[in-house]
Each structure stands twice: as structure tokens, then as C-alpha cells.
Amino acid sequence: MTRRPINNHPTCEGTHVRPLRLRPALITLSSAALLATATATPPAAASPAPARASVALDWYDTTAETIAAAGAPTQVTNSRTWAISWLAAARAARQVPAGIDRGDRGDFQDAALASAVHHSLTALAPGRTEQLDTALRQTLETIPDGPAEDQGVAAGEQQARLALASREGDGLDPESVNAPFPVPQPAPGVWQPTPPSNAPATQYGNRLARPFALEQANQFRLGPPPALDSARYRSELAEVRTYGAKDSTRRTTRQTETATFWLGSSLTLYTEPLRVALARSSASSAQQAELVALFHIALVDTQIATSDTKYAYLRWRPVTAIRTGEIAPDPAWTPLHDTPAHPDYPSGHNTYSGAAEAVLTALVGPRTAPFDLTSPTAPGVTRTYTSWHRLTIENVDARVYSGIHTRSADEAGVRLGTDVARYVLRHAEQLFGTG
């Protein structure tokens, strides 16, 4: 193959007051059953050579670097970039042409994956085109010249264009995500801007965006949060008041560390766990692309569903309830961490955790060999995990210890994220179909 120049294509575009309770068992689908492809690829092709696996990992790292360097200010927009790029890669890599020899199918898949992610990212992050072109060139240099490489590159370009075009105007750009939301009249239980910035509500527009797999944003809308006169509500508010206060004498050092460790962006914090799952996978490039695509499609749809429930109920944040509510009001109470500018119920961090855990459990199993995780909001702290569920448990506790969510909002978030992820997994073949 004569090396072609890389062209840019226009966008077509700790301590619990009560234990965590999740719904009964998460999905137990096997990776092989869920990720079975619709191509004529024989079973022998399901055990890729190490170089094949490295292409998926290389482009995973390239995607993460691209978003870190040129990402949007809104998390869901960056999740969308992941989802589009890897959906295109999964579609391209699974369509191995009939004329490609069995021994060359891995080369086709590698070229298709790299090409699809490259062309998607250059459209979505054009400021990184030079770096992306270099990355593609380096990948293609590892693939033997020939029809498998040529057709893989062409398939990746085509699927990137189709995926980009299918998501045009989906309402997940930063301006649409943060569409204006009028502050409601103050009333018991109703969200109000929170100190110290008293900023306008954010992420309202997510609930108006077009999902990837869900039929509509309210498809899995949660039931209402606990009533203000319920024993559960009083107990949970007391827990946040005690453990989530900036000057709390009950919160342990470990609990404070948990709150700080999980304070940052869920997208950032879950990039390494997903990378661990990908790096330890022995699946084909096509199946690895499907893992990454399903993870981020589930996360986009979860963030849409989260905002739908948040703005359907408009539940006030603990700082508002504790300062102005009828239960022993304390106007000076301050949470450990500043409260984000959107309603309490459900916790977005925990909808993210629920969805991430559901996808990883379904596709790679509930446990893995120990892996270390660091956090940009807790410099110098390293935690070690052997199960995805442990991440969820810590997220639930963290938001209480930060003083920014009630436990019911956290637990409900896990349920919502799990429900959305289950739906996405059940509809995987429809997502990967190329018609």
C-alpha cells in the first residue's frame, strides 16, 4: 500500500447510617453472548494477536488525551465524543468484508478502529488534528500494506461520517446542555441556588437532548424522593448535617478522604477503571471497541435521564434544607465541599457509578485483579480496588460526607444508572447495526 496523506473530512457529522441497597442482581450477560458480531467472522478470529489489542488501547489513550486537551466544559458533551468515536469504531470493525482472508481480519479491524476514532475526533476536536494524524500514521505503520488495511481505513472513515451525521443537533453541545432554567419560587423542599456562588442551575438542557438508545429522557424516571415529613428524610438530613459539615467532628479522616477522592468529574475518575478492563481483555479489536462504545453510550443516556429526574422533582439541596428548613434550622451550616448548581435528587455522580458498574459487570465480570486508582482532587492518595461495586459504594458515601447529597439521592442515582445501562446493553445489536 502506498501511504496516503491523512485527510480531514468535514463533519457529517466508610460508615453507613444504613447499608447501600441496590435493586436485585445486575445484568449477568456474558461478554461473548452480548458482543457476538453479525459478520461471518469465525470463532478462531476471536483470539487476537497482542498487537491487535494494543491498537484499541492506544486509541483509548489517544481519545482520553484529546478530551483532556481539547474537551468541552460540559461532561456529557465529552461523553458524547467518546460515544460517537467508539460507536463508529465498533460498527466499522465488525463489518469484515467477505473477501478479506481469515488471517488478515485482525489487520482490517485494527485499521477500521483507528480510522473511525481518528476521523471522529478530528471532527469533534479539530484543534488536535495534527496529533491525531500522527497517531493514525503510527498505527498504520504497524499494519501490513494490503487490501485489509485499505478497506479497514475506508470502513472507519465511512462509519465515522455516518455516526457524526446521525448525532447532529442532538442537544448535547455545551450551550444546549446549560439551557437557562428559571429559579422556582422558594418553598419547602424546592431547589434554590446554593452558596457560596448562588449560581444559576446547570445541566437543565440534558433532559431535552436526544439519547443514543433510550426512547425518551423520562423512560426510567424515578419515583419521588422521601417526603419532607417522613422518618427517612429526617434521618438522612441528620446524617448529612453530622457527617457532611465542613467543621464536622464525627467524620473520620478516612471519610474525609473518600469525599475528596470522589469529588471530581466522574468521566475523569472512571477513565482509568475502564482502561483497566480494556487492557486486561483478550477480546478482538471489534469487541473491545464495543465495550468502550457501550460504556459511554450508557453514560450519555444516563446523564440525560439524570437531569430529567432532577428537574422533574426539583428537590432542594441539604445546605438549603439545613439552613432554612423547619428541622432545627442552622443558617451558619456549611458543607465540606461546595454544592453543585442543580437539584439534589438523584445524585449525578451515583447515576454515573451505577451505569458504569452495570456495563463493566455485564461485559467483564464483577471482579478483577487489584488495580490502583488516583484522583486529581486528592493529590498523593492512591486507592486499590478489586471490584467495580466498591467504586459505587464509595461514591454513595462520598456525596454524603461532602455534605452535598442525601443518601436517598445517592442510592436512587445508582438505581437509575443501572436501569439505563441495562437497557443499553439489551439494545446493543440495534446500536451496532449498520443497516
Side-chain angles (χ1 to χ4, degrees):
M1 169 183 173
T2 301
R3 292 288 172 198
R4 64 169 73 87
I6 299 172
N7 297 315
N8 299 322
H9 294 276
T11 301
C12 304
E13 271 216 56
T15 299
H16 299 241
V17 168
R18 68 174 157 276
L20 172 66
R21 295 186 296 277
L22 304 180
R23 290 192 176 177
L26 293 174
I27 293 176
T28 56
L29 298 174
S30 73
S31 177
L34 180 63
L35 299 182
T37 65
T39 67
T41 305
S47 298
R52 215 169 298 166
S54 72
V55 169
L57 199 59
D58 285 347
W59 281 92
Y60 184 90
D61 291 342
T62 297
T63 307
E65 291 163 5
T66 298
I67 290 174
T74 43
Q75 177 171 277
V76 72
T77 309
N78 293 322
S79 295
R80 174 187 185 267
T81 297
W82 276 98
I84 290 174
S85 302
W86 286 81
L87 177 60
R91 288 173 173 172
R94 66 160 37 198
Q95 284 197 317
V96 182
I100 299 296
D101 292 339
R102 178 180 300 182
D104 295 333
R105 289 179 178 179
D107 296 332
F108 171 89
Q109 290 183 340
D110 282 350
L113 185 156
S115 175
V117 178
H118 167 270
H119 285 280
S120 299
L121 290 178
T122 53
L124 296 169
R128 296 289 290 179
T129 296
E130 181 179 353
Q131 294 88 343
L132 292 165
D133 286 353
T134 298
L136 181 58
R137 190 174 297 111
Q138 291 171 343
T139 296
L140 296 180
E141 287 172 354
T142 69
I143 300 172
D145 294 349
E149 181 189 48
D150 292 342
Q151 293 183 54
V153 169
E157 293 181 14
Q158 178 187 32
Q159 291 303 325
R161 292 193 199 100
L162 291 171
L164 287 161
S166 73
R167 296 306 301 179
E168 284 186 348
D170 60 9
L172 290 168
D173 59 284
E175 184 177 0
S176 298
V177 166
N178 288 326
F181 178 76
V183 177
Q185 289 296 314
V190 177
W191 180 83
Q192 296 291 296
T194 52
S197 64
N198 295 305
T202 61
Q203 302 179 18
Y204 171 73
N206 280 357
R207 72 193 305 240
L208 309 177
R210 173 161 49 90
F212 277 80
L214 294 181
E215 296 177 10
Q216 52 194 31
N218 65 358
Q219 188 169 341
F220 293 102
R221 182 180 292 176
L222 295 164
L228 298 184
D229 60 355
S230 67
R232 181 175 184 180
Y233 173 75
R234 298 178 70 92
S235 173
E236 291 187 339
L237 194 62
E239 180 188 21
V240 179
R241 184 193 297 263
T242 299
Y243 289 93
K246 193 177 192 71
D247 58 357
S248 173
T249 59
R250 296 283 298 278
R251 188 180 58 245
T252 67
T253 300
R254 175 72 177 184
Q255 290 168 341
T256 300
E257 181 188 280
T258 296
T260 304
F261 191 91
W262 291 103
L263 182 62
S265 156
S266 292
L267 178 65
T268 300
L269 288 163
Y270 272 88
T271 296
E272 183 60 22
L274 178 57
R275 190 188 190 279
V276 167
L278 186 69
R280 295 176 180 181
S281 169
S282 60
S284 68
S285 291
Q287 291 172 322
Q288 289 181 318
E290 291 174 11
L291 167 62
V292 179
L294 286 169
F295 186 95
H296 285 286
I297 287 169
L299 267 301
V300 172
D301 283 11
T302 292
Q303 290 172 85
I304 291 172
T306 298
S307 289
D308 171 75
T309 294
K310 277 182 178 288
Y311 286 95
Y313 295 113
L314 289 175
R315 173 53 65 95
W316 60 7
R317 286 283 187 155
V319 64
T320 307
I322 293 170
R323 288 187 174 192
T324 68
E326 296 181 356
I327 304 174
D330 180 359
W333 187 90
T334 301
L336 173 64
H337 294 126
D338 291 348
T339 302
H342 42 78
D344 177 57
Y345 180 88
S347 160
H349 267 58
N350 283 287
T351 57
Y352 201 109
S353 295
E357 180 185 345
V359 173
L360 291 171
T361 297
L363 301 186
V364 301
R367 302 187 64 82
T368 187
F371 69 93
D372 291 341
L373 190 62
T374 59
S375 166
T377 54
V381 177
T382 298
R383 291 192 166 189
T384 303
Y385 300 92
T386 57
S387 74
W388 318 120
H389 185 54
R390 187 67 213 170
L391 308 178
T392 303
I393 291 173
E394 291 190 9
N395 259 293
V396 169
D397 287 340
R399 308 311 269 176
V400 174
Y401 301 149
S402 283
I404 58 181
H405 274 300
T406 55
R407 189 168 292 275
S408 61
D410 294 338
E411 295 179 354
V414 175
R415 292 197 303 272
L416 178 58
T418 300
D419 285 346
V420 172
R422 283 174 166 172
Y423 183 87
V424 169
L425 292 167
R426 288 197 301 269
H427 291 78
E429 284 304 311
Q430 292 165 244
L431 287 164
F432 296 135
T434 53

